């Protein structure tokens, strides 16, 4: 049912950079959805958030025309402070994963390449179509059910690469969760590196700017780094020791200058809570 409020104006204020691969569109969708829930008197209904997630996904898929999944919307509406969010996208079950970065003397650095990207330009949809085609060829409803051996049975090199990324990325996610829950968050760096290599080589969604800042961050002491978001620009993240923040940031900016690239934006971030009502 629609909500009709004559003369209503919606004001939006955000500090999420636009087009930086940091879920700005999902953040806007979550904010508008919660505003609508507030008008309907249901902002405090915890079950409603799951319905709002599905509505936000439809907004991306059917209105914007971007064939995205629901990761960004789910995090925007369900995240817990200080935690990552493990999402089982088959049924959208979620589990918070307490990161413990500060206790380990670590930080997450976000490196915004300032190269704008859009998920509605067809590239993301092509990757999704490749994954669907790979699943059909393997006779699977879900590509995530494929094994490494299944991947090697794919005859098309492009589909094999796309499927290999999906399968190995799921393995990396499970490995990261296991390490973090064991209090070994400082050991996830190589998994971040492996993720970037897979996104670059098998999924082919990286960009020169992303590769440069990721490599520069590693060489300057980052424990691991990878691109984030839909790719083709946007941002990368680096896991760093808090004491190395200045050196890593300086090295990343210098590397971009040396390559004649746009100077990136650098910020360290903490894991915040989901969108919520203002007091």
């Amino acid at each position: 049912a629609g909500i009709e409020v004559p003369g209503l104006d919606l004001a939006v204020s955000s500090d999420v950079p636009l087009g930086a691969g940091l879920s700005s569109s999902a953040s806007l969708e979550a904010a508008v959805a919660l505003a609508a829930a507030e008008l309907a008197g249901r902002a405090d209904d915890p079950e409603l958030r799951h319905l709002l997630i599905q509505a936000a996904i439809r907004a991306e898929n059917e209105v914007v025309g971007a064939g995205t999944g629901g990761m960004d919307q789910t995090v925007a509406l369900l995240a817990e402070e200080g935690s990552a969010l493990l999402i089982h996208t088959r049924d959208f079950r979620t589990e918070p994963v307490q990161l413990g970065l500060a206790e380990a003397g670590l930080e997450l650095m976000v490196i915004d390449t300032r190269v704008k990207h859009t998920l509605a330009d067809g590239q993301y949809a092509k990757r999704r179509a490749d994954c669907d085609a790979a699943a059909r060829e393997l006779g699977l409803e879900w590509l995530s059910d494929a094994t490494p051996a299944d991947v090697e049975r794919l005859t098309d090199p492009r589909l094999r690469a796309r499927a290999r990324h999906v399968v190995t990325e799921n393995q990396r996610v499970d490995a990261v969760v296991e390490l973090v829950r064991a209090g070994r968050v400082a050991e996830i760096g190589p998994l971040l590196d492996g993720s970037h290599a897979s996104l670059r080589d098998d999924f082919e969604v990286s960009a020169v700017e992303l590769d440069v800042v990721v490599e520069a961050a590693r060489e300057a002491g980052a424990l691991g780094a990878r691109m984030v978001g839909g790719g083709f620009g946007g941002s990368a993240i680096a896991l760093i020791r808090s004491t190395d923040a200045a050196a890593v940031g300086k090295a990343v900016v210098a590397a971009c200058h040396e390559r004649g690239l746009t100077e990136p934006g650098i910020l360290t971030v903490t894991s915040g809570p989901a969108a919520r009502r203002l007091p």
Side-chain angles (χ1 to χ4, degrees):
I3 301 172
E4 185 173 347
V5 183
L8 177 68
D9 291 323
L10 179 66
V12 177
S13 176
S14 175
D15 58 3
V16 180
L18 299 179
L22 298 175
S23 307
S24 57
S25 60
S27 299
L28 177 61
E29 289 157 3
V32 173
L34 285 178
E38 174 75 13
L39 290 172
R42 297 186 61 190
D44 294 322
D45 180 353
E47 293 304 314
L48 181 64
R49 291 201 173 221
H50 294 278
L51 296 176
L52 296 180
I53 288 167
Q54 296 306 315
I57 294 171
R58 287 187 61 193
E60 289 273 12
N61 292 174
E62 299 174 19
V63 180
V64 178
T68 65
M71 178 180 69
D72 296 354
Q73 295 87 350
T74 304
V75 172
L77 284 163
L78 296 180
E80 296 185 12
E81 189 168 4
S83 296
L85 191 68
L86 177 62
I87 305 169
H88 303 272
T89 53
R90 189 170 306 191
D91 56 12
F92 281 91
R93 287 181 298 113
T94 61
E95 303 172 44
V97 181
Q98 189 70 30
L99 290 170
L101 292 176
E103 294 83 351
L106 303 174
E107 295 179 356
L108 275 178
M109 174 176 283
V110 171
I111 306 163
D112 178 6
T113 67
R114 295 197 168 107
V115 175
K116 302 300 181 184
H117 76 287
T118 173
L119 298 184
D121 65 357
Q123 291 300 321
Y124 188 97
K126 288 178 181 178
R127 300 307 184 277
R128 187 164 181 170
D130 284 346
C131 291
D132 290 342
R136 285 194 301 271
E137 186 171 326
L138 293 172
L140 299 172
E141 180 180 2
W142 305 93
L143 186 55
S144 58
D145 287 336
T147 66
D150 289 332
V151 171
E152 295 309 311
R153 291 196 291 110
L154 292 166
T155 55
D156 185 294
R158 188 183 74 252
L159 296 187
R160 187 164 60 247
R162 305 295 189 251
R164 183 166 54 240
H165 168 70
V166 170
V167 171
T168 59
E169 187 75 347
N170 282 344
Q171 293 173 336
R172 284 186 288 270
V173 169
D174 290 339
V176 165
V177 170
E178 183 177 348
L179 286 170
V180 171
R181 285 181 169 164
R184 299 164 59 189
V185 65
E187 298 177 35
I188 71 171
L191 292 163
L192 298 179
D193 294 342
S195 180
H196 184 79
S198 183
L199 286 160
R200 181 192 64 212
D201 300 335
D202 282 342
F203 222 53
E204 296 184 282
V205 294
S206 189
V208 170
E209 293 84 356
L210 288 166
D211 295 339
V212 167
V213 300
V214 162
E215 185 60 30
R218 291 184 194 136
E219 291 180 354
L223 302 180
R226 54 157 288 180
M227 58 157 282
V228 293
F232 311 107
S235 298
I237 59 170
L239 181 66
I240 63 172
R241 300 177 186 87
S242 298
T243 53
D244 291 339
V248 173
K250 182 178 179 180
V252 166
V253 170
C256 289
H257 285 168
E258 290 171 7
R259 295 288 298 272
L261 304 176
T262 301
E263 181 172 318
I266 307 291
L267 63 154
T268 54
V269 298
T270 56
S271 178
R276 60 198 185 279
R277 296 172 63 189
L278 293 175

